[in-house]
Amino acid sequence: MARKKGENRPDQSPSAVTLPDEAMLLDYINSCPVPPSLRDITRAFNIGQDARASVRRSLRNMSQRGLLAGDHRAIAAPDTLPEVTVLELISFDDDGDGLARRAGNDSENPPEIRVILNRRAGRAPSVGQQVLARLTRVGPDNYEARIIRVLDRRQKRLFGVVTSAGKGFRLQPADRGKRDSIGLQTTDGLPLHAGDLIEAELLPSRGYIGKTARVITNLGSASSAGAFSALALAEFGIRHQFPDAAIEESKGLKIPPLKGRRDLRDQPLVTIDGADARDFDDAVFAEPTDHGGWRLLVAIADVSHYVRLDSALDIEARKRGNSVYLPDRVVPMLPEAISNDLCSLRPGEDRAAMVAEIHIDKDGKRFSHHIERALIRSHARLTYDQVQAVFDGTIDEADCDVPHGCLHALFGAWRALDIDRQSREPLALNLKERRVVMDDAGHPVAITQRSQIESQRLIEDFMIAANVAAADSLIASRRPCVFRIHDTPDPKKAASLAKLAESVGGKFTTGQVLRPHHFNKIIALAENTPDALTVNEAVLRSQAKAVYSIDNIGHFGLSLRNYAHFTSPIRRYADLLVHRALVDAAAGKKTGPKDGLNGLPLDAIAEICTHISETETTAAAAERRTIDRFAAALFESRLGVVVEGTIVAVTGFGAFIRLEDGAADGLLAINALPDDYYDFVEETQSLDGRHNGWRFVVGTPLKVKVTEVTPISGGILLEWVDGGLQSDTPRGKSSRHRPKAPHEHAGKRRNKPSGRVRSKPSNGGQSAGKGKTAKRKRR
């Protein structure tokens, strides 16, 4: 028969119950992952309703003596943290988990709190940010935390250059737009000199005035070679030192035997890369077929043979996600013993490879393909410039020391692939790539820009063909695939192109189902005009970001239904996962080989996709920031010089100017424009002067003077000299009921109204975020 609520067990009476002593209570409370309630305690010790009052008195007495903390709902040891609390992230460990402390707790011996990050939930918080987390106690002084939400997106870690200030030092932040320096609190044993790059922690304070930061790390002199790259690695948290276990694993690896691989060593495969490339992970070959089509071979270094899932090499590669390319250094995803040796397809040396054999017709349409493991031997290491010279006819194929007809067959196959590309109509952006030219000492001497040439397009189209073949192979074999997806543009972003299209004589209709060719029409109209750069960048900004995912939605920019990254496993972890899946697919129903995915769950692959999409974004941001700093350093010698530029973006505080056809970007602030009272018109992306008729709009060429350069932040400030649009009838005079500027209400016009701006909404006067019309009074 079931006992009634509060009834003692049949073998127990109130007088027979043995109550736990203080030591037993403390042991139990400390063993609980979260503070227990009185009810939890009585249940644990089988204490009936009649004896609970005695337990409650014992707990109250222990609390009064400081042995416990809590109330009737939750009892805990005095040093126990609440189940839900605010944490501040202080670092990340080698496993990628966060380490945190309770916000506001500066005790000398705080408990260890490990934050378990869920990459699928979105971008992880950064060091210094505060989060609301749920804690689980896993030891006397150890907790695991899971983030409920991020509370503070403000960075508390700062990077910058040290400046002298009397008897002390101040920090000039490296963030662009932060011009005010911050007081520095030095650390014993850490030498500091003016001009040093440092990492510092912002100390708690109220307001901005009087802010102080504590020095954490000295990165060396800002003027030394490699300083900007060292700053980027620290600033973006990029891993650049391999653990000993990964280095040890990379030693002693050998080229595999021919058994189980196709022998393609006699095929005249060649590598085509930049002149400064050190790792060669792809080789290509083409030959005509009897039916007028082409047989293509795309050989990719077989990294999966050497880097096994969950090995030390694999764990480190997964954390890095990709190699990082900075102007003066490369941070590889894999140790050089693999990336620059075993998996580098150097000429005349046997190498393990995954080879995609693709058959296309005369119009570039693929009609068969297969991917298999092979042993290859590259027959030549060629550069883009060499191959381009053969394509242009300035040198002969024989000058490149390749078999007769080798390059011309590649050109023929590429022309067929190009026919297929044109029929797909992928997005055809025409943007130049900035490159920093360094001297032998590692200092920048110039910023160059280069458009894509035919030899680069040839390799790109061969790689795209192989990537599509890899994705199709995995889909057909029903194997997991890490897709490279690119969503359709956000209609709101795309709508901003309507006015720009009109300015180049085109039309961009909003509300239609967007396809790449809609954007290509605008790009084509702007070609060879002063608006070309502006239009290309505006189209780029309107696009979604390409990411990795196990859910295939296609690739909008390439106009492809199925697409994956297969061709660069040396430098991208996504490609390595695709290789492993292909190895499993080749094994069929047999147990997957050790160098396959080994049954890696889909949810784990999805989490990796989120992570490597983040690391890719981080790497791109680090590269961009470093190039900006080098570009600013080169402009430092041109202070006071007048240069030519073009407006590429307009905001309420000024205009961003692309200098000298893209060598650098600078800010032309409102107070550096001709004297007037300016309205920022979002719809036309322009700054319109009210009195003198000046108008500054995206795409307008200008002459500007360089007035301030801060290399550490990559910032360049400019002053207007000449250029812009000026109407014979200023806006203020043609508008009968124009709103008056503040200085006009006082009955006196200021001589220097520059620096004043009013943002004019583009939605018919509707105030952003309020959902109602903001009417201006007629005076």
Side-chain angles (χ1 to χ4, degrees):
M1 186 176 68
R3 291 182 291 117
K4 296 180 181 179
K5 184 177 179 180
E7 186 179 16
N8 290 321
R9 297 179 184 274
D11 59 343
Q12 289 180 326
S13 64
S15 58
V17 174
T18 301
L19 297 178
D21 58 21
E22 289 186 355
M24 295 172 65
L25 286 172
L26 283 174
D27 284 344
Y28 169 72
I29 291 170
N30 286 330
S31 70
C32 294
V34 296
S37 65
L38 175 63
R39 184 177 183 183
D40 294 329
I41 294 172
T42 55
R43 282 184 172 181
F45 289 99
N46 294 325
I47 297 171
Q49 186 71 32
D50 294 343
R52 289 189 180 185
S54 298
V55 176
R56 186 180 293 107
R57 284 193 296 272
S58 296
L59 292 173
R60 186 182 300 115
N61 181 264
M62 293 169 68
S63 178
Q64 290 171 351
R65 289 154 49 206
L67 298 177
L68 294 177
D71 54 23
H72 67 282
R73 291 182 297 274
I75 299 101
D79 59 347
T80 301
L81 299 182
E83 181 181 1
V84 176
T85 191
V86 177
L87 303 177
E88 179 182 333
L89 282 172
I90 55 176
S91 66
F92 290 93
D93 64 13
D94 289 338
D95 294 326
D97 292 331
L99 297 177
R101 65 186 173 203
R102 192 176 182 188
N105 181 15
D106 293 322
S107 61
E108 293 184 1
N109 297 305
E112 180 183 292
I113 305 174
R114 184 176 302 275
V115 181
I116 308 301
L117 299 177
N118 179 6
R119 299 282 178 183
R120 297 190 71 179
R123 190 171 179 86
S126 302
V127 169
Q129 292 179 342
Q130 291 187 349
V131 299
L132 182 68
R134 186 177 302 279
L135 302 184
T136 301
R137 193 169 189 173
V138 294
D141 293 308
N142 304 90
Y143 293 84
E144 283 188 355
R146 298 189 182 274
I147 295 175
I148 298 173
R149 65 176 179 272
V150 177
L151 300 178
D152 183 6
R153 285 285 180 187
R154 183 166 50 92
Q155 290 280 6
K156 292 186 175 63
R157 292 292 175 99
L158 301 173
F159 295 87
V161 65
V162 177
T163 60
S164 297
K167 295 182 180 180
F169 297 103
R170 294 186 70 81
L171 174 68
Q172 181 62 51
D175 291 346
R176 182 175 288 186
K178 292 186 177 179
R179 305 182 65 188
D180 295 329
S181 61
I182 297 171
L184 273 180
Q185 183 184 104
T186 57
T187 303
D188 293 340
L190 188 64
L192 209 60
H193 304 91
D196 286 350
L197 283 175
I198 64 166
E199 178 183 2
E201 180 182 31
L202 194 63
L203 299 176
S205 66
R206 293 185 177 181
Y208 192 82
I209 298 176
K211 278 191 178 294
T212 306
R214 179 172 58 235
V215 180
I216 298 174
T217 309
N218 190 327
L219 303 173
S221 173
S223 60
S224 63
F228 288 157
S229 292
L231 173 60
L233 297 182
E235 188 178 18
F236 289 92
I238 294 171
R239 302 173 67 90
H240 58 284
Q241 293 181 328
F242 286 99
D244 292 340
I247 295 295
E248 285 301 314
E249 276 190 6
S250 68
K251 297 177 180 178
L253 296 174
K254 296 180 180 179
I255 304 296
L258 181 60
K259 183 180 180 181
R261 294 176 179 270
R262 184 179 176 187
D263 191 349
L264 291 175
R265 288 174 290 183
D266 291 336
Q267 290 283 351
L269 289 147
V270 298
T271 63
I272 305 175
D273 295 275
D276 56 352
R278 292 192 301 167
D279 52 0
F280 318 115
D281 56 357
D282 59 79
V284 293
F285 167 80
E287 64 181 359
T289 58
D290 294 338
H291 54 76
W294 299 89
R295 171 178 173 254
L296 282 58
L297 294 179
V298 179
I300 308 299
D302 188 0
V303 178
S304 63
H305 172 76
Y306 304 102
V307 183
R308 306 292 175 89
L309 187 71
D310 290 334
S311 64
L313 283 168
D314 176 64
I315 292 170
E316 183 63 20
R318 189 186 309 172
K319 291 174 184 175
R320 297 187 177 210
N322 44 259
S323 296
V324 181
Y325 294 86
L326 302 177
D328 56 349
R329 71 179 293 179
V330 175
V331 181
M333 185 181 78
L334 296 166
E336 290 194 358
I338 296 176
S339 59
N340 289 354
D341 187 6
L342 285 172
C343 290
S344 186
L345 309 183
R346 298 192 297 233
E349 300 181 14
D350 290 358
R351 288 292 182 266
M354 293 279 283
V355 179
E357 180 171 335
I358 303 168
H359 292 261
I360 60 174
D361 62 21
K362 61 182 179 61
D363 296 323
K365 299 290 185 184
R366 191 193 73 207
F367 58 85
S368 71
H369 77 281
H370 69 274
I371 299 175
E372 61 186 336
R373 282 180 148 168
L375 207 62
I376 71 159
R377 183 182 298 153
S378 171
H379 285 239
R381 181 272 198 261
L382 304 177
T383 67
Y384 288 122
D385 290 338
Q386 282 179 296
V387 176
Q388 187 64 37
V390 175
F391 184 85
D392 294 336
T394 56
I395 66 172
D396 192 75
E397 186 181 58
D399 297 326
C400 296
D401 195 25
V402 295
H404 177 69
C406 172
L407 294 183
H408 291 290
L410 289 174
F411 297 152
W414 173 61
R415 290 187 181 96
L417 289 173
D418 192 53
I419 293 173
D420 181 60
R421 170 187 276 267
Q422 298 302 325
S423 68
R424 294 199 322 266
E425 292 191 273
L427 196 61
L429 289 169
N430 182 17
L431 291 168
K432 296 179 180 179
E433 179 186 4
R434 286 193 300 169
R435 294 178 64 87
V436 182
V437 180
M438 316 292 291
D439 62 17
D440 293 338
H443 296 288
V445 294
I447 302 288
T448 63
Q449 296 181 91
R450 186 171 182 177
S451 298
Q452 197 176 41
I453 55 180
E454 284 83 358
S455 59
Q456 292 171 319
R457 290 175 55 201
L458 182 154
I459 290 299
E460 179 181 83
D461 284 340
F462 269 66
M463 298 304 112
I464 289 174
N467 287 335
V468 174
D472 288 344
S473 295
L474 292 177
I475 291 172
S477 63
R478 299 180 181 275
R479 295 286 175 173
C481 182
V482 173
F483 294 100
R484 180 66 168 179
I485 61 170
H486 184 217
D487 206 350
T488 54
D490 184 338
K492 292 181 180 179
K493 286 186 178 180
S496 66
L497 296 174
K499 286 288 183 181
L500 193 58
E502 290 179 12
S503 69
V504 295
K507 185 178 181 181
F508 190 85
T509 305
T510 57
Q512 61 185 328
V513 177
L514 293 174
R515 296 285 183 265
H517 67 82
H518 293 125
F519 299 93
N520 291 343
K521 289 178 181 178
I522 307 174
I523 295 171
L525 287 170
E527 191 175 2
N528 299 322
T529 72
D531 297 319
L533 177 62
T534 302
V535 169
N536 275 272
E537 291 197 336
V539 170
L540 178 62
R541 287 193 297 271
S542 71
Q543 302 300 304
K545 182 174 174 13
V547 295
Y548 296 106
S549 176
I550 60 172
D551 300 315
N552 185 22
I553 62 171
H555 197 292
F556 176 84
L558 292 175
S559 293
L560 291 169
R561 180 178 299 174
N562 305 322
Y563 193 65
H565 275 167
F566 160 77
T567 55
S568 294
I570 285 180
R571 60 184 179 89
R572 291 190 304 230
Y573 194 78
D575 303 51
L576 181 52
L577 289 175
V578 168
H579 276 230
R580 288 170 176 160
L582 289 166
V583 169
D584 286 341
K589 295 182 179 179
K590 302 176 184 177
T591 303
K594 293 181 180 179
D595 45 5
L597 285 175
N598 288 344
L600 189 65
L602 275 178
D603 59 346
I605 299 176
E607 189 169 337
I608 292 172
C609 287
T610 302
H611 170 65
I612 60 181
S613 296
E614 291 175 4
T615 60
E616 179 188 39
T617 300
T618 299
E623 180 184 8
R624 187 167 54 250
R625 288 283 283 138
T626 307
I627 292 176
D628 286 343
R629 285 169 175 147
F630 278 119
L634 288 170
F635 267 85
E636 197 170 19
S637 63
R638 304 178 70 180
L639 279 170
V641 175
V642 175
V643 297
E644 293 185 349
T646 303
I647 299 177
V648 292
V650 175
T651 70
F653 55 83
F656 287 98
I657 312 299
R658 180 64 44 83
L659 302 173
E660 296 187 339
D661 196 28
D665 289 342
L667 174 64
L668 180 62
I670 283 285
N671 59 7
L673 291 172
D675 289 348
D676 209 334
Y677 187 95
Y678 290 92
D679 286 322
F680 169 49
V681 186
E682 187 178 355
E683 186 178 24
T684 56
Q685 287 293 293
S686 64
L687 288 169
D688 296 354
R690 293 189 176 186
H691 303 290
N692 298 326
W694 284 107
R695 188 166 189 258
F696 296 91
V697 64
V698 169
T700 304
L702 300 174
K703 287 185 178 180
V704 291
K705 183 168 70 174
V706 180
T707 59
E708 184 180 324
V709 177
T710 312
I712 192 65
S713 67
I716 301 175
L717 292 182
L718 309 168
E719 182 180 284
W720 176 85
V721 174
D722 191 20
L725 308 174
Q726 190 169 28
S727 171
D728 292 336
T729 306
R731 288 181 65 251
K733 296 180 180 179
S734 63
S735 177
R736 181 179 177 185
H737 297 295
R738 69 174 179 85
K740 297 180 180 180
H743 59 271
E744 294 179 293
H745 295 308
K748 181 179 179 180
R749 178 170 178 173
R750 299 188 308 165
N751 292 325
K752 294 275 292 180
S754 63
R756 304 299 299 269
V757 65
R758 175 171 293 170
S759 177
K760 180 180 178 181
S762 61
N763 53 355
Q766 195 174 45
S767 179
K770 294 184 179 180
K772 58 183 180 181
T773 303
K775 296 182 179 179
R776 294 173 178 171
K777 294 181 179 180
R778 294 180 178 179
R779 302 179 185 275

